[in-house]
Amino acid sequence: ELMPETADIAKHLAQISDKDGLMPTDAAEAAEASRLFELTMSPGPLSALNPLVNWTAKEEASKNIASSVADAVKVLKGLKPPSPYFGGAKPHYADFALWHSVDLLTLLEASVLSTLGEAFASWYAKIKEDRAVAAYIKSRPKAGTGKVGKMGSLIYATELDGKTK
């Protein structure tokens, strides 16, 4: 079956996963998960973070960090704070997509979690502690090593530790 859209692929994987809660069964919750996922993937401040960090040349990206972080924070502050997850008691697939955007923000600005508030900081930590997410983080290439991102990009050439300006 062809599923060329990221959202369709994510929904399909959530549906076939055995991870409880990944795909909401309640229609309203499923619609909200879809909305949040689209928010992270549709053109806008959140989806712009990935190319800024991974593809854009370091010099060009560095000029846009402050405005990109501010724009993304504005979008995130417009969301209802997670309790404990956006999916409720358990994270749904959109929690993980949104976490990816927030993780990129933490690379660009370490204080972003305090800016977003305690509920966001707690949510971010809970997702990060997920067994599979923690294993991925441990194994992923480190920023600035030349092993991740497009050659010459911000993440390729810079140790992103939240202090990059």
Side-chain angles (χ1 to χ4, degrees), residues 39-59:
L39 182 67
T40 66
M41 298 295 149
S42 297
L46 299 179
S47 68
L49 295 170
N50 202 34
L52 177 73
V53 171
N54 291 295
W55 290 93
T56 306
K58 176 184 174 181
E59 296 73 25

Side-chain angles (χ1 to χ4, degrees), residues 52-101:
L52 177 73
V53 171
N54 291 295
W55 290 93
T56 306
K58 176 184 174 181
E59 296 73 25
E60 184 64 29
S62 295
K63 296 176 196 174
N64 296 309
I65 291 173
S67 62
S68 294
V69 169
D71 291 346
V73 165
K74 187 175 181 179
V75 169
L76 293 169
K77 282 194 165 218
L79 298 178
K80 180 183 174 194
S83 179
Y85 301 102
F86 285 97
K90 297 185 182 200
H92 54 45
Y93 70 99
D95 274 287
F96 294 100
L98 193 59
W99 184 87
H100 173 65
S101 293

Side-chain angles (χ1 to χ4, degrees), residues 23-36 86-87 92-93:
M23 183 64 188
T25 55
D26 176 80
E29 291 171 7
E32 179 60 9
S34 182
R35 184 188 77 79
L36 284 174
F86 285 97
H92 54 45
Y93 70 99

Side-chain angles (χ1 to χ4, degrees), residues 10 38 42 63 73 76 89 97-98 101 103 108 110 117 119 123 128 135 137 142 149:
E38 292 291 333
S42 297
K63 296 176 196 174
V73 165
L76 293 169
L98 193 59
S101 293
D103 189 48
L108 297 171
W123 164 84
K128 192 173 183 177
I137 290 169
K142 303 298 180 220

